[in-house]
């Protein structure tokens, strides 16, 4: 079976710095795939290259067999993306953003209207009908971003830090939606540095460190008998494993 | 005092870190221009002291308005940096003020103000001595006026009414400055500064220092004390006002909360159009820009009425179009990283939608200005109409094109701090882009204008044709660039750095320092020589426009004018070619590092 997302030998250099150095990933169809790593490990760079938002210096990315760079129209129709911290059409309301994007995606207007209505209700954004996105809180921005990613019913979701700054109630809603998406045959790749969350949601995991893949596979393969957090610290952690304390803070 | 010193030191450090490469070249060039203006002002104190008052009024206007056009002024040290410290507003303002005196602009203004001292010494020792405190106080008032203006402006952009009012006032004042020749003519006709003007420039704060010095020369010590005290008092009041305004500096430009009509588009381009028209009408920064363009066009065309000349009136519309294009020159940059959505929907026709929206806002206003005003003065219909159509199409084509090719990374709208004018970190480039747009926009009107001058009405179909061609062709070019380089543009917006792979030219940063400076200087001077000093005066001569403005060639005896124009064009081309040659010389290839190494050690 073709992989939902197949990344081969992705490389990205920024000047002298090699941000991503030959990353290979295979996200099977129907899997819930977690990408964990420290800040600056190369998660966002990898995901950006995988969905066509950043041009790699080497390597390929295929979404259900469609090459993101050679066949972008087909590849991009199959994927829903939630990037971290990027702007939206800020002077539109949530519903207008969804209408706008649905039409850009080529959906019929009545389908767009119907799905927008449902997404806003499920994500509890319908209260803010008159609010422009620029006035949204960080959590609301994540939710409207997720709605734009889901709108065209993609078969793969690529989510960069989807739970950052999201309140626990909204997080529970999002988790339910994502689990339902996977249960319905969809595939998800998400990045996070919250290990407990990845353990709770994902069935596959890859540890990204210094631009490369330190470990990848099913959750049980990667963590073995340890918790994911212990295994993670072991893989990427500090030299002696002991966290340093600030002497002047304890009395 | 400690706070003030620390902030000043911080600013010195930041300036030192940012003086690299092209930026350093631009700053140096700007500094040299400023010094030239300052020396000119000092020269006035020797050759034409009666012009000193008007000159300082212009300096003051520059301080007040400059920041409005240079992206919200000097924000090297921002109040937000110190928010967690909990400083009392006065101390914060005093510290920021100290930092505000560190920089090139205050030094240049100080130099210009030494004209007061020169003027004073020529009147006597006492007047010379009075000039010292006067010029220092004057500088403090200038800097503070600038800060308060920016702060007031930031508040103004929170409601639609005040955004429009600010746009009107700014457009009017800039048009006044742009039409300075009217005052020059008035000056020569009246055989000196008209008494009204002389009174006004002494009544406004920029003239108080001059009043003090003049009064000292005349021995009227009461007036000296009053003028100096007034300056000091104004400085204190401005500082207090600024301190209060700093505490108000929260949040961003509020979006207008008008009616929310549902989006009824049914196609992708229709959706882009819907998004853009909403952004134009809801974003107060854009509202301000359009109002500014409108006010500029109207006042620029109306000011010559003061001289009894009404033939400028029909041009209000075309000038508005040109200004509106210049204001939209960085349209992709101001939307920031929202570009990612465009990249994920490759076939959606983003460029066409933006072009339509721009035309939708600009065309009705242009028509509403041009038709009645041309009818009113029975102006040159064929010429005006052909240029208007050519400019509409030219602007609609150039706006997306210039924006994707010259993209200046903007600050994402939701991350803009308390200063809504600041849409980019790189306001030098953004301003340069505006000028480029003005020059390119003029070029698109050239064919239609020439045909209309020669053959009258034949110009109108030519204008329509070039307009449609520009709209369609330049738009297609922009769309192609967006498809081909979308990820690079997004990266530039995300990080502020260009992500160019191996290409036909070296990256600017790859050049050795010496060549960076040369390329920076060439790239800056090339367009100046080519367009305003070469092509534009050439066009003026061909079309018989009777204005010399700042075109060197037109000030020379007539036999030297054409050679100068040709020389300027050649110079511009040569400068451009030189920088391209240098960039190609260091083209990225395996051995380029070695080449650079060699160049660093070469004897020349």
């Amino acid at each position: 079976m073709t992989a939902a997302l197949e990344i081969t030998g992705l490389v990205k250099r920024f000047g002298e710095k090699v941000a991503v150095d030959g990353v290979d990933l295979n996200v099977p169809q129907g899997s819930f795939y977690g990408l964990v790593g420290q800040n600056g490990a190369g998660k966002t760079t990898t995901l950006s290259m995988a969905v066509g938002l950043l041009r790699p210096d080497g390597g390929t990315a295929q979404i259900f067999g469609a090459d993101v760079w050679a066949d972008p129209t087909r590849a991009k129709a199959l994927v829903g993306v939630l990037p971290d911290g990027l702007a939206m059409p800020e002077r539109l309301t949530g519903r207008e953003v969804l209408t706008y994007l649905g039409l850009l995606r080529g959906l019929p207007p009545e389908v767009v209207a119907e799905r927008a209505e449902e997404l806003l209700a499920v994500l509890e954004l319908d209260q803010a009908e008159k609010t422009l996105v620029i006035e949204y809180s960080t959590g609301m921005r994540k939710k409207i971003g997720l709605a734009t990613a889901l709108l065209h019913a993609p078969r793969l979701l690529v989510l960069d830090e989807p739970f950052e700054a999201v309140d626990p109630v909204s997080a529970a809603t999002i988790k339910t939606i994502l689990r339902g998406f996977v249960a319905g045959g969809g595939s998800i790749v998400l990045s996070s540095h919250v290990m407990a969350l990845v353990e709770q949601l994902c069935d596959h995991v890859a540890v990204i460190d210094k631009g490369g893949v330190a470990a990848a596979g099913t959750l049980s393969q990667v963590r073995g008998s340890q918790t994911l957090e212990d295994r993670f610290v072991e893989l990427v952690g500090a030299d002696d494993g002991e966290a340093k304390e600030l002497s002047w803070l304890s009395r | 005092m400690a706070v003030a010193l620390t902030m000043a030191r911080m600013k010195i450090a930041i300036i030192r870190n940012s003086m690299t490469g092209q930026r350093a070249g631009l700053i140096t060039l700007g500094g040299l221009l400023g010094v030239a203006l300052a020396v000119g002002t000092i020269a006035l104190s020797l050759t034409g002291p009666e012009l000193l008052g008007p000159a300082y009024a212009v300096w003051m206007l520059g301080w007040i308005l400059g920041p409005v056009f240079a992206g919200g002024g000097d924000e090297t040290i921002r109040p937000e940096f110190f928010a967690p410290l909990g400083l009392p507003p006065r101390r914060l303002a005093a510290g920021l003020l100290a930092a505000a005196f560190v920089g090139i602009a205050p030094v240049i203004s100080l130099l210009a103000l030494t004209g007061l001292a020169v003027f004073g010494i020529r009147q006597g020792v006492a007047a010379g001595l009075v000039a010292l405190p006067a010029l220092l106080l004057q500088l403090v008032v200038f800097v503070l006026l600038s800060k308060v203006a920016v702060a007031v402006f930031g508040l103004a952009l929170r409601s639609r009414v005040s955004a429009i009012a600010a746009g009107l006032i700014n457009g009017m004042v800039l048009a006044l400055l742009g039409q300075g020749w009217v005052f020059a003519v008035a000056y020569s006709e009246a055989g000196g500064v008209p008494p009204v003007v002389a009174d006004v420039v002494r009544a406004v704060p920029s003239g108080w220092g001059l009043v003090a010095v003049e009064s000292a020369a005349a021995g009227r010590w009461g007036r000296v004390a009053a003028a100096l005290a007034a300056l000091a008092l104004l400085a204190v009041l401005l500082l207090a006002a600024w301190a209060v305004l700093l505490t108000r500096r929260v949040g961003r430009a509020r979006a207008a909360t008008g009616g929310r009509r549902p989006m009824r588009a049914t196609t992708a381009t229709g959706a882009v159009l819907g998004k853009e028209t909403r952004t134009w009408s809801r974003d107060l920064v854009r509202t301000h820009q359009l109002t500014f363009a409108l006010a500029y066009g109207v006042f620029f065309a109306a000011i010559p009425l003061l001289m009894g000349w009404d033939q400028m009136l029909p041009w209000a519309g075309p000038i508005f179009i040109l200004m509106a294009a210049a204001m939209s020159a960085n349209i992709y940059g101001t939307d920031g990283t929202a570009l990612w959505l465009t990249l994920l929907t490759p076939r959606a026709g983003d460029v066409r939608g933006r072009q339509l929206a721009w035309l939708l806002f600009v065309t009705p206003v242009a028509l509403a200005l041009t038709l009645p005003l041309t009818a009113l003065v029975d102006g040159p219909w064929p010429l005006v109409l052909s240029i208007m159509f050519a400019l509409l199409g030219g602007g609609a084509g150039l706006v997306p094109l210039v924006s994707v090719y010259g993209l200046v990374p903007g600050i994402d709208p939701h991350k803009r701090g308390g200063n809504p004018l600041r849409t980019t970190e790189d306001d030098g480039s953004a301003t340069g882009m505006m000028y480029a747009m003005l020059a390119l926009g003029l070029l698109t009107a050239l064919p239609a204008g020439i045909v209309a001058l020669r053959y009258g009405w034949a110009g109108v179909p030519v204008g329509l044709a070039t307009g449609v061609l520009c709209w369609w062709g330049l738009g297609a070019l922009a769309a192609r660039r967006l498809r081909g380089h979308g990820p690079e543009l997004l990266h530039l917006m995300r990080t502020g750095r260009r992500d160019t792979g191996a290409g036909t030219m070296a990256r600017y940063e790859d050049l050795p320092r010496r060549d960076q400076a040369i390329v920076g200087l060439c790239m800056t001077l090339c367009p100046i020589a080519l367009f305003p000093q070469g092509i534009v005066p050439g066009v003026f001569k061909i079309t018989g426009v009777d204005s010399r403005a700042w075109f060197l060639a037109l000030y020379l005896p007539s036999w030297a004018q054409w050679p100068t124009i040709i020389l300027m064009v050649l110079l511009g081309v040569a400068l451009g070619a030189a920088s391209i040659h240098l960039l190609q010389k260091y083209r990225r290839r395996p051995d380029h590092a070695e080449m650079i190494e060699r160049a660093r050690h070469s004897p020349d």
Side-chain angles (χ1 to χ4, degrees):
Chain A
M1 200 161 57
T2 6
L5 174 66
E6 171 105 55
I7 288 175
T8 327
L10 277 186
V11 176
K12 186 71 199 175
R13 286 178 217 94
F14 297 121
E16 298 297 301
K17 187 179 180 292
V18 183
V20 170
D21 191 7
V23 165
D24 298 305
L25 274 186
N26 183 309
V27 178
Q29 285 191 30
S31 66
F32 202 141
Y33 209 113
L35 228 55
V36 296
Q38 290 172 290
N39 292 334
K43 301 188 297 289
T44 298
T45 309
T46 304
L47 292 183
S48 298
M49 289 192 285
V51 298
L53 290 179
L54 180 67
R55 199 186 305 279
D57 292 328
T60 58
Q62 294 188 332
I63 296 171
F64 293 100
D67 190 290
V68 172
W69 296 99
D71 188 6
T73 313
R74 196 156 78 86
K76 287 172 182 175
L78 292 167
V79 64
V81 181
L82 170 66
D84 186 27
L86 295 192
M88 300 284 287
E90 304 281 343
R91 312 280 168 183
L92 299 187
T93 64
R95 184 184 299 274
E96 285 168 346
V97 167
L98 295 179
T99 312
Y100 161 71
L101 264 173
L103 293 171
L104 286 195
R105 291 275 189 190
L107 299 176
E110 58 282 359
V111 175
V112 177
E114 202 178 296
R115 288 188 188 169
E117 184 71 50
E118 213 178 325
L119 279 168
L120 291 173
V122 171
L123 288 166
E124 288 144 355
L125 288 171
D126 48 351
Q127 309 297 321
E129 189 68 56
K130 299 235 163 193
T131 314
L132 302 186
V133 172
I134 195 165
E135 288 157 353
Y136 274 20
S137 67
T138 318
M140 287 166 83
R141 295 183 74 90
K142 284 279 180 206
K143 289 203 278 184
I144 192 69
L146 186 65
T148 62
L150 292 167
L151 183 66
H152 58 295
R155 295 172 63 202
L156 168 69
L157 282 180
V158 175
L159 314 171
D160 197 0
E161 302 282 0
F163 293 98
E164 208 168 65
V166 176
D167 67 82
V169 179
S170 304
T173 315
I174 294 178
K175 281 178 201 168
T176 314
I177 294 174
L178 296 184
R179 285 202 182 101
F181 180 80
V182 174
S187 321
I188 297 181
V189 185
L190 67 77
S191 76
S192 177
H193 34 226
V194 183
M195 300 297 150
L197 189 111
V198 172
E199 257 177 323
Q200 186 191 10
L201 284 176
C202 300
D203 45 50
H204 285 67
V205 66
V207 178
I208 307 286
D209 186 36
K210 300 185 186 81
V213 179
T218 62
L219 185 61
S220 49
Q221 280 171 347
V222 172
R223 71 176 167 188
S225 56
Q226 297 164 288
T227 65
L228 186 59
E229 182 158 338
D230 289 343
R231 179 68 184 136
F232 178 79
V233 173
E234 191 179 295
L235 279 167
V236 309
D239 352 306
D240 53 5
E242 251 178 60
K244 297 158 194 81
E245 284 182 19
L246 297 171
S247 57
W248 44 270
L249 270 183
S250 42
R251 299 196 177 160
Chain B
M1 208 54 212
V3 174
L5 273 179
T6 313
M7 288 192 192
R9 230 179 273 149
M10 225 170 124
K11 176 141 176 206
I12 292 172
I14 295 176
I15 291 179
R16 202 190 298 132
N17 289 341
S18 59
M19 280 294 278
T20 50
Q22 192 179 14
R23 212 182 151 78
L26 273 176
I27 293 174
T28 314
L29 192 81
L32 287 177
L33 263 175
V35 169
L37 287 175
V39 171
T41 310
I42 297 174
L44 278 184
S45 66
L46 296 170
T47 57
E50 75 276 12
L51 283 175
L52 217 47
Y56 287 134
V58 171
W59 280 93
M60 181 173 74
L61 277 181
W63 272 99
I64 296 176
L65 290 175
V68 176
F69 300 96
D74 173 25
E75 292 258 307
T76 322
I77 299 279
R78 268 172 244 179
E80 285 86 358
F81 293 174
F82 309 99
L85 297 181
L87 288 173
R90 290 272 167 90
R91 276 184 70 197
L92 178 63
L96 290 170
L97 181 63
F101 283 105
V102 178
I104 296 176
V107 173
I108 288 172
S109 296
L110 187 65
L111 185 64
L113 283 167
T114 53
L116 274 183
V118 175
F119 174 68
I121 289 167
R122 279 164 54 92
Q123 315 287 319
V125 179
L129 283 176
V130 167
L132 286 179
L135 72 91
L136 288 177
L137 282 169
Q138 197 77 70
L139 182 68
V140 175
V141 166
F142 280 178
V143 173
L144 275 169
L145 270 175
S146 172
K147 292 290 174 190
V148 170
V150 169
V152 167
F153 207 76
L155 287 179
L157 282 198
R158 288 179 196 184
S159 86
R160 185 189 291 270
V161 176
S162 41
I164 290 174
L168 283 176
I169 294 171
N170 287 329
M172 185 182 74
V173 176
L174 253 275
L176 276 172
L177 290 180
Q179 292 285 51
W181 63 272
V182 168
F183 301 101
V185 173
Y187 174 70
S188 61
E189 278 188 356
V193 179
V196 186
V197 177
D199 287 347
V200 169
V201 296
R202 278 172 182 71
V204 292
S206 62
W208 295 353
L210 187 64
V211 169
V213 177
E214 282 174 345
S215 308
R220 300 170 62 183
W221 296 103
R223 255 172 84 94
V224 172
L228 289 180
L231 274 175
L233 183 68
L234 182 63
V236 170
L237 287 179
L238 284 171
L239 184 64
W242 189 36
V244 173
L245 287 166
L246 279 177
T247 61
R248 296 274 171 83
R249 185 179 145 129
V250 281
R252 49 187 77 99
R254 285 250 351 228
T257 44
R260 302 262 186 267
R261 58 200 187 288
M263 207 184 253
R264 299 218 184 280
T266 52
T267 61
T269 305
V272 178
L273 178 65
K275 188 248 319 176
E276 277 294 295
T277 48
R278 280 165 177 75
T279 309
W280 276 107
S281 60
R282 288 175 189 172
D283 186 348
L284 293 179
V285 176
R286 291 206 197 185
T287 307
H288 168 253
Q289 289 176 341
L290 275 185
T291 327
F292 168 80
L294 176 63
Y296 188 87
V298 170
F299 284 105
F300 195 91
I303 287 169
L305 285 177
L306 295 176
M307 308 291 304
W309 190 56
D310 61 8
Q311 285 305 307
M312 192 82 187
L313 277 180
W315 298 103
I319 294 169
F320 159 72
I321 302 172
L322 207 53
M323 240 336 151
M327 285 285 161
S328 329
N330 197 22
I331 193 163
Y332 276 98
T334 42
D335 280 359
T337 52
L339 185 67
W340 72 277
L341 290 166
T342 311
L343 296 191
L344 284 181
T345 48
R347 285 192 306 184
D350 191 66
V351 169
R352 293 294 181 219
R354 283 175 188 262
Q355 286 183 308
L356 277 177
W358 188 84
L359 281 173
L360 211 64
F361 275 86
V362 174
T363 314
V365 181
L367 286 172
L369 283 178
T370 307
L371 300 182
L373 287 176
T374 314
L376 187 71
V377 302
D378 197 23
W381 280 103
L383 185 63
V384 173
L385 287 183
S386 38
I387 286 188
M388 185 189 73
F389 288 129
L391 277 179
L392 279 172
L398 281 171
V399 164
L401 186 74
V402 169
S403 174
V404 291
Y405 271 91
L407 184 79
V408 178
I411 304 171
D412 276 358
H414 65 288
K415 290 179 183 158
R416 284 175 203 157
N419 185 346
L421 285 175
R422 194 166 185 83
T423 54
T424 168
E425 291 287 346
D426 188 2
D427 38 62
S429 304
T431 312
M433 215 172 163
M434 277 177 45
Y435 284 112
M437 181 63 101
L438 289 176
L440 291 171
L442 276 176
L443 277 185
T444 64
L446 210 54
I450 290 174
V451 173
L453 277 174
R454 285 273 158 99
Y455 307 105
W457 284 102
V460 177
V462 173
L464 278 169
T466 60
V468 170
L469 204 68
C470 284
W471 162 75
W472 179 81
L474 301 181
L477 278 179
R480 205 181 68 168
R481 173 81 176 177
L482 204 55
R483 268 197 309 278
H485 285 74
E488 283 73 18
L489 295 177
L490 179 63
H491 179 77
L492 173 62
M493 269 189 292
R494 231 174 174 169
T495 61
R497 285 187 298 271
R498 286 187 194 275
D499 176 33
T500 44
T504 52
M505 296 202 205
R507 289 183 311 177
Y508 180 76
E509 307 87 76
D510 288 344
L511 264 52
R513 237 158 206 249
R514 186 198 63 191
D515 290 0
Q516 273 189 358
I518 296 175
V519 170
L521 204 64
C522 285
M523 286 289 201
T524 319
L525 291 176
C526 153
I528 297 180
L530 193 59
F531 295 105
Q533 294 301 342
I535 291 174
V536 178
V539 172
F540 273 32
K541 267 187 80 72
I542 293 174
T543 57
V545 173
D546 189 24
S547 163
R548 296 192 292 188
W550 61 294
F551 308 128
L552 174 69
L554 303 186
Y555 283 90
L556 297 175
S558 58
W559 61 265
Q561 292 187 349
W562 274 115
T564 311
I565 289 171
I566 292 166
L567 203 72
M568 281 293 181
V569 171
L570 288 179
L571 181 68
V573 171
L575 286 168
S579 34
I580 291 174
H581 170 75
L582 268 176
L583 286 171
Q584 278 177 341
K585 189 170 132 196
Y586 295 104
R587 182 168 54 225
R588 296 228 288 169
R589 49 186 174 211
D591 61 334
H592 87 286
E594 189 193 325
M595 271 190 61
I596 290 170
E597 226 16 67
R598 247 187 294 147
R600 278 196 181 129
H601 298 297
S602 65
D604 57 343

